[in-house]
Amino acid sequence: MSFDLAARLATRRAENLYRQRPLLESPQGPEVVVDGQPLLAFCNNDYLGLANHPQVIEAWRAGASKWGVGGGASHLVIGHSGPHHALEEALADLAGRPRALLFTTGYMANLGAVTALVGQGDTVLEDRLNHASLLDAGLLSGARFNRYLHNDAASLAARLEKATGNTLVVTDGVFSMDGDIADLPALAREAKAKGAWLMVDDAHGFGPLGANGGGIVEHFGLSMEDVPVLVGTLGKAFGTAGAFVAGSEELIESLIQFARPYIYTTSQPPALACATLKSLDLLRSEHWRREHLQTLIRQFRQGAEQIGLELMDSFTPIQPIMIGDAGRAVRLSQMLRERGLMVTAIRPPTVPAGSARLRVTLTAAHSEAQVQLLLEGLADCFKQLGPEPSDA
Ligand SMILES: Cc1ncc(COP(=O)(O)O)c(C=O)c1O
């Protein structure tokens, strides 16, 4: 008996789906050094440009001096320290919910929330383009698991008709590989009509969306009755790491009792919570970051349309260019890199078969001149590669 990993890896290569990790040799930001090469990057999720902000770094330093480095234990033993608690209170305020609970990663927040809320005999309904962590959470929960058509409230309603037990409807807020946003008012209406709960993972919405960075629920003005379970992550627009679930007193107490990925893990370093408290301050108060980002998004979309690129229906910092064929997407990404531009090719299984794309992300740390360089690079590379051979 053998696992024959070599054959699996060879197949992956032959399908143009082999993944490699670029080695970052500088802090995160528009200008990076990757594998020894200076590049202008359009692929991180540091949407507000806070990952390398001097005040955030200083808060981390001061936090480490005061609180040490390690969390030391799980939250329920003796790992729940002052900065964790203060951060939870500040995040609850941002989310407009009574309470929030801090998790070590977004992946764990999603696993924890879904598996604590539904199990055998229950139902979990998910958008078919949800992030992998949400899909994994649904499968792991043991509840009846079903996916509805992307952002389609009628498709959700049809599945709600057949749902049994406690029913959780789960969606990304901003879809991570497409950049479009969930039609939350319609989804919330359907869920409420059937007594189901709506859970929204707004990993990519907190920060860029909402007048104060409160994400998609602030954007739509939705209450806790509309969205009882709200998840945010801290590794994207907050520029740090970790995640939170926000909701009612009862929800948070239930997660503390029953969410295994919360209970059975060491708390994040308290100094990290100090850094996030600072970045949260900046995220809420420095509106120019959101405004500048919107200017760049408009500039990019106008320029890309002039070149004739196929954009997606997105007004968020995630601006994918649809390519289709995985090999072609990888080739374009390589050509851009030869010109000093870094844009990641996203391929199946991260996205559905035949929908490989270049995932451009813009941040408040980019300048208009840098976006112009990207547009010029894209125009040249698409011209050089020529049109896609048709099947006819
Ligand atoms: C929509 C979404 N949810 C959750 C996660 C996971 O968050 P984390 O990186 O903190 O594990 C990600 C990406 O990382 C994401 O894009």
Side-chain angles (χ1 to χ4, degrees), residues 304-363:
E305 270 158 25
Q306 274 166 14
I307 302 167
L309 304 181
E310 191 182 335
L311 294 180
M312 303 184 74
D313 179 21
S314 163
F315 66 90
T316 71
I318 303 169
Q319 291 291 330
I321 303 166
M322 181 55 82
I323 307 295
D325 176 64
R328 193 172 159 84
V330 172
R331 181 78 198 105
L332 276 162
S333 175
Q334 279 165 349
M335 288 166 71
L336 286 164
R337 193 152 164 173
E338 282 154 21
R339 298 180 54 107
L341 295 162
M342 185 164 178
V343 180
T344 314
I346 304 285
R347 296 163 286 169
T350 306
V351 290
S355 73
R357 64 201 68 178
L358 292 175
R359 180 177 183 267
V360 171
T361 52
L362 301 168
T363 76

Side-chain angles (χ1 to χ4, degrees), residues 121-123 163-168 195:
D122 297 326
T123 305
T164 53
N166 289 328
T167 301
L168 191 63

Side-chain angles (χ1 to χ4, degrees), residues 206 287 350 365:
F206 276 107
H287 296 287
T350 306

Side-chain angles (χ1 to χ4, degrees), residues 23-79:
L23 185 62
L24 180 65
E25 294 164 305
S26 63
Q28 207 55 262
E31 287 174 3
V32 289
V33 178
V34 175
D35 297 323
Q37 189 189 1
L39 291 169
L40 179 56
F42 292 90
C43 43
N44 72 32
N45 301 315
D46 179 25
Y47 302 123
L48 297 182
L50 297 175
N52 191 31
H53 192 288
Q55 288 181 41
V56 179
I57 297 170
E58 186 42 42
W60 183 307
R61 264 204 199 103
S65 296
K66 181 162 178 195
W67 297 93
V69 176
S74 66
H75 283 273
L76 292 175
V77 178
I78 191 177

Side-chain angles (χ1 to χ4, degrees), residues 66-330:
K66 181 162 178 195
W67 297 93
V69 176
S74 66
H75 283 273
L76 292 175
V77 178
I78 191 177
H80 186 64
S81 62
H84 296 131
H85 205 74
L87 179 56
E88 288 184 347
E89 288 175 353
L91 289 168
D93 190 51
L94 173 75
R97 303 292 190 257
R99 282 190 69 185
L101 189 71
L102 193 57
F103 282 74
T104 310
T105 70
Y107 202 112
M108 291 167 74
N110 285 336
L111 284 192
V114 174
T115 58
L117 290 172
V118 289
Q120 255 185 9
D122 297 326
T123 305
V124 59
L125 301 175
E126 300 211 17
D127 188 293
R128 58 185 300 273
L129 296 190
N130 271 356
H131 188 258
S133 58
L134 294 171
L135 300 173
D136 291 356
L139 291 168
L140 190 70
S141 70
R144 204 167 141 232
F145 177 77
N146 214 310
R147 296 197 289 173
Y148 57 90
L149 296 179
H150 177 50
N151 219 358
D152 185 331
S155 168
L156 169 64
R159 282 161 178 77
L160 279 167
E161 288 297 331
K162 297 184 207 138
T164 53
N166 289 328
T167 301
L168 191 63
V169 175
V170 184
T171 182
D172 279 20
V174 175
F175 287 88
S176 53
M177 295 301 138
D178 297 61
D180 57 336
I181 69 169
D183 183 2
L184 285 194
L187 299 175
R189 215 168 24 248
E190 296 301 341
K192 274 200 289 188
K194 289 284 180 251
W197 271 18
L198 179 59
M199 167 170 162
V200 176
D201 171 2
D202 204 19
H204 300 269
F206 276 107
L209 294 192
N212 301 298
I216 192 167
V217 296
E218 188 185 14
H219 173 81
F220 281 123
L222 296 175
S223 69
M224 196 162 75
E225 284 67 46
D226 298 315
V227 181
V229 189
L230 179 58
V231 178
T233 70
L234 307 172
K236 304 184 197 306
F238 287 81
T240 59
F244 62 97
V245 179
S248 69
E249 184 71 29
E250 269 182 4
L251 172 72
I252 299 308
E253 283 301 314
S254 301
L255 295 182
I256 294 172
Q257 306 307 316
F258 304 118
R260 293 167 66 87
Y262 179 77
I263 300 166
Y264 297 109
T265 198
T266 302
S267 63
Q268 63 169 225
L272 175 57
C274 296
T276 307
L277 275 162
K278 175 47 75 181
S279 73
L280 174 53
D281 249 15
L282 298 170
L283 176 147
R284 294 187 88 165
S285 60
E286 295 197 346
H287 296 287
W288 67 264
R289 293 178 186 275
R290 271 177 289 282
E291 286 154 16
H292 178 56
L293 195 47
Q294 277 308 318
T295 305
L296 297 183
I297 292 168
R298 273 194 302 275
Q299 180 195 353
F300 176 76
R301 287 189 70 85
Q302 274 167 11
E305 270 158 25
Q306 274 166 14
I307 302 167
L309 304 181
E310 191 182 335
L311 294 180
M312 303 184 74
D313 179 21
S314 163
F315 66 90
T316 71
I318 303 169
Q319 291 291 330
I321 303 166
M322 181 55 82
I323 307 295
D325 176 64
R328 193 172 159 84
V330 172

